[in-house]
Amino acid sequence: MSELSTAVDSPVATGSVPGSAALRAALDAAGRVLGEERVARPAGDAARTRLLGPNTSLFRSRRVAAVLRPTTAEQVGEIVELFSREPDSGSLHAISTGRNWGLGSREPAEDDAVVLDLGGLDRVRALDLDAGWAVVEPGVTQGGLSRLLAHTPRMVNVTVSAAATSIIGNALDRGVGLRGQRTEDLAGLEVVLPGGETVRVGWWPGAGRTAPVYPHGLGPSTLPLFVQSNLGVVTAAVIRLPARPEALRVTRLGFPAPALAEVTDTVRRWVAQGLTRGVPRIYDPAAGASYGGAEGEWAVHLPVDGTAESVAALTGILTAEARRSGLFTEISATDGADPARPHHEVTRLVERAYAGDPDITDTLFRAKMGVGADKVDPEAGFLFFLPLLPFTGEAVAHADRLLREAAQATGVRLSATLHLLGPDLIDCVVAMKFPHEDDAAARAHRALDLLYASFADAGFAPYRLDVDHAGQRDALAVDAAAVALTRRLKAVLDPNNAIAAGRYR
Ligand SMILES: Cc1cc2nc3c(=O)[nH]c(=O)nc-3n(C[C@H](O)[C@H](O)[C@H](O)COP(=O)(O)OP(=O)(O)OC[C@H]3O[C@@H](n4cnc5c(N)ncnc54)[C@H](O)[C@@H]3O)c2cc1C
């Protein structure tokens, strides 16, 4: 369930709800579908920005017309149909668990949306350990599914966010797990279209169906249309479950800042040649501090998995390569296995995460955020900037310079983690942590604006947007006609804007 107790506790004052007659009629009808206790409406105009509670990034709280909390996919179909009837009956903003920290949490991009909180749809509908898939609803968390898979031959591709984050919510925003980009885990989606019709796109299990998991089907593939999308509301997904490795080890390296470009090119060769698996990561000194990185030094995590023998062999090759390069001040492959090593506990947690355990107690998450998942929005200050970089030493050194310039100009402490998504692509995760108060937030937002501008100038566009930069898609598009095509689809499928335009409009 998402954190909407504030909203749900707010008074239900049907008569005084602001908005058009069509909106009030749709909300009244939603109350009959869900029961009034699952419809939170603002008591008056001023309460409209308080319905969702605080967000960790201190983005401006949007005016919200209501929060609806269905518990079944059928109810979602009925609700979407209600908001499809007329142009001014309101637009729905769907969330799964609403923990989109750093990019907006539960906030819609625009004012006056009706928030559709799907955290109450929390069933794992089906699971096939032989074939390697699970059918999950939006409220199913990575912690919940991984607990179900404990001691089985299958695992979930987990992120390093909290255990109580949604698998579907993260995948639909093109989140990144430790085994790869979460969109690659999506084999099928159950989608409610504007109008209320439910379709299943991609691969879907059926009674007696033995076809192997293959999301593309025949002809044009429609699954990707519903990722970072305002074309439908997702009520379930088929998630691929990778085979659990028999053995896994993380090699830890440390290096000084001047070696950044050379280390990047060296690690790129290892990734290209298959010496490391999953999503290896490079941490700047601020990000590496949570993982036992030495003061002022950069750190690298190189996961290797497979059989015990292949892991031992590849780890030996990696550490020998690292030694020969002469670039590293620290090289260790035994931290996770040896309790006597200084960084044993943290490396063990990292190894477990690469093997599908999202750290149910959020130990690392708390260490990074200073608070547990339930306190992030009210107490922590946090922003994300997520550009993609070419995997070259030159590009990474350039990005590092841009980050330092933004930090210097604003006094904001930035940290960067490079997710190595393949031999040619880096997801550069820039995090800003700041005290949860207005002045510090204003500085962090200024740094964020500077980063959007300077990274765009350098050709490093973000692959996810926050609610305040929702208009950026046009400016960053490779081909304006391709964006126009998706808008034509939106106009055909959703003429009355039942679904809010969102961050990727
Ligand atoms: C310390 C820390 C570490 C983090 N680590 C990671 C990480 O490793 N990888 C990563 O990707 N993120 C990370 N995050 C960011 C964030 O917490 C996760 O991405 C989180 O999974 C997103 O929240 P959620 O799962 O509740 O999704 P939600 O907030 O529910 O959804 C995200 C967005 O998807 C869309 N959406 C959601 N559900 C639906 C639906 N059913 N139908 C249609 N559209 C929908 C909406 O636009 C929504 O805003 C981290 C955050 C912090 C603070």
Side-chain angles (χ1 to χ4, degrees), residues 93-101 105 118 138 159-161 165-166 168-170 172-173 175-176 232-234 365 368-369 382 384 419 464 503:
H93 164 62
I95 57 171
S96 288
T97 46
R99 293 187 153 114
N100 208 11
W101 295 312
S105 301
L118 301 169
T159 71
V160 300
S161 193
T165 51
S166 163
I168 288 184
N170 179 267
L172 291 182
D173 208 34
V176 171
V233 174
V234 173
F365 180 85
K368 275 187 277 193
M369 295 302 288
F382 187 81
F384 258 150
H419 288 101
R464 283 150 91 180
R503 281 171 290 144

Side-chain angles (χ1 to χ4, degrees), residues 31 33 135 181 196 264 362 384 469:
V33 172
V135 179
Q181 193 150 14
T264 303
D362 283 341
F384 258 150
H469 292 88

